[in-house]
Amino acid sequence: MAGFSYSNNEHLVRANIWSTQVKEVLLEELIGMRYVDFLTDFPDGDTINIPSIGQMETLDFAEGQAIRYTGMDTGNFTFTVNKYKSSATFITEKMKQDSFYMNRLVSSFVPKMSRAIAKAMEVDMLATGNIGQTASSLNTINGGNHRFVGSGVVGGLAAISPKDFALAKFALAKANVPMTNLIAIVDPSVGYQLETLTNLVNVSNNIHWEGVIATGLSTGTRFVKNVYGFDVYESQNLPQGITETINGQTVTTNGVANCFFSAAPDVLPIIGSVRQAPKVDSEYNKDLQREEYVTTARYDFKLFRPENFVTVLTDATAVA
């Protein structure tokens, strides 16, 4: 009796089956733009000047003496838009005709190009404070250090400790920064260090850390609890690969610049301008027989209030 079995009908079985689904790469959440003071009075040109004025001084006065008149210190902050970014791709006519995934592929071009531009802006924004400070220096303002290496040690590498949060808060306070909306943006290795510190688990430093064993410290990119008043966010996009020695303390090769500041709206440390929001252009290239897609943007960022920015350097591999 004749029948069907795999051994004599192998040609009727598809050796490879392709799914209708397409696997997408997991993407990190972008958080930096919410902490930028974007300029609104920048109608034309690529450079804007922002004047600054200092404080008045008080002098002793005695009856019968002439009052002394003094002026105020003034300055000028110059901001220039230098960054011009593009993201572009194409699909050939043959690929459009033959690919089973053509519609899915083409529909992803614009969102993915916009995401690429947004990621570039995030990386540039988070690098702004680090670039604006002097490397290998404590960047001292009013007696508070605004750049230093983390005081913790993991396997001989520089790591974060609760003391560093206190030092960052002290530096901001000495610079008269409002102690409101305090934000720390840290590398995931720092988040790990905070979640595994013994003194945090035992709640020996701050009574508000009760319950961290049950809930953990982080949900998504935001910590459920704050450390010495700082709400702590994790980011994959902080400046990496830093080698630096400050006041005898060193990070080598894998240094990352964690940042601390107040996000109070009137004292945001970084200003920015988007001269051209991400703009999409597309056209058909008849010579190369392909559809081309281009997204461009023009923007920049600069450290505006160095007194409201603290960098703590740690080693991104200090995880144990």
Side-chain angles (χ1 to χ4, degrees):
M1 178 182 291
F4 289 90
S5 65
Y6 183 85
S7 60
N8 59 10
N9 291 281
E10 189 174 343
H11 60 285
L12 296 178
V13 179
R14 289 190 291 175
N16 290 288
I17 299 176
W18 291 83
S19 172
T20 58
Q21 298 182 5
V22 177
K23 181 181 178 182
E24 296 281 353
V25 175
L26 295 177
L27 301 172
E28 75 277 23
E29 183 180 350
L30 303 179
I31 63 175
M33 293 304 103
R34 69 185 78 170
Y35 304 123
V36 177
D37 182 9
F38 282 102
L39 297 174
T40 56
D41 57 340
F42 199 166
D44 53 73
D46 62 3
T47 300
I48 188 170
N49 295 284
I50 304 174
S52 61
I53 57 175
Q55 299 296 319
M56 291 298 299
E57 63 177 323
T58 301
L59 301 172
D60 291 330
F61 168 70
E63 185 179 11
Q65 291 183 345
I67 292 177
R68 289 179 289 169
Y69 294 84
T70 60
M72 293 183 292
D73 291 333
T74 62
N76 182 51
F77 180 87
T78 302
F79 176 68
T80 302
V81 176
N82 287 315
K83 293 180 172 58
Y84 212 163
K85 301 287 186 178
S86 66
S87 180
T89 191
F90 65 84
I91 184 168
T92 64
E93 194 66 24
K94 186 176 187 304
M95 182 67 174
K96 288 168 63 176
Q97 295 166 3
D98 295 348
S99 175
F100 173 73
Y101 299 100
M102 188 274 293
N103 289 331
R104 178 76 177 270
L105 191 63
V106 173
S107 66
S108 73
F109 285 169
V110 172
K112 288 186 179 298
M113 288 189 297
S114 297
R115 165 72 191 198
I117 295 288
K119 171 70 175 286
M121 293 180 69
E122 175 99 347
V123 170
D124 288 336
M125 177 269 170
L126 291 176
T128 301
N130 183 59
I131 294 171
Q133 292 182 329
T134 301
S136 302
S137 167
L138 291 170
N139 289 260
T140 303
I141 300 175
N142 290 354
N145 298 330
H146 285 249
R147 188 179 183 90
F148 53 89
V149 176
S151 60
V153 178
V154 174
L157 302 173
I160 203 77
S161 78
K163 177 183 176 182
D164 299 322
F165 285 83
L167 287 172
K169 189 173 184 180
F170 170 77
L172 296 178
K174 289 290 288 183
N176 299 317
V177 174
M179 293 292 99
T180 57
N181 297 6
L182 296 178
I183 298 295
I185 302 179
V186 303
D187 186 73
S189 61
V190 171
Y192 172 84
Q193 292 157 19
L194 289 173
E195 291 187 311
T196 56
L197 281 173
T198 302
N199 50 7
L200 286 184
V201 173
N202 292 337
V203 200
S204 61
N205 285 328
N206 193 317
I207 194 170
H208 297 298
W209 287 330
E210 291 176 346
V212 297
I213 299 176
T215 62
L217 280 175
S218 59
T219 300
T221 59
R222 184 184 185 281
F223 284 117
V224 174
K225 306 293 182 184
N226 66 42
V227 181
Y228 289 158
F230 288 94
D231 287 334
V232 184
Y233 293 78
E234 291 181 356
S235 174
Q236 302 269 21
N237 299 316
L238 291 165
Q240 303 269 351
I242 298 172
T243 298
E244 192 170 325
T245 298
I246 305 176
N247 204 31
Q249 304 298 312
T250 301
V251 288
T252 57
T253 308
N254 297 305
V256 59
N258 307 283
C259 54
F260 299 72
F261 56 91
S262 168
D266 56 338
V267 297
L268 286 170
I270 293 171
I271 64 169
S273 176
V274 179
R275 299 297 283 140
Q276 177 192 309
K279 173 173 156 298
V280 180
D281 294 295
S282 65
E283 65 178 7
Y284 188 76
N285 188 323
K286 62 182 179 58
D287 295 324
L288 297 177
Q289 291 290 290
R290 68 188 192 185
E291 197 80 36
E292 298 173 342
Y293 300 82
V294 179
T295 299
T296 55
R298 187 164 165 246
Y299 63 89
D300 218 329
F301 307 101
K302 191 172 182 180
L303 183 61
F304 183 55
R305 292 189 178 274
E307 68 273 21
N308 185 20
F309 197 90
V310 176
T311 297
V312 180
L313 301 175
T314 59
D315 194 300
T317 63
V319 178

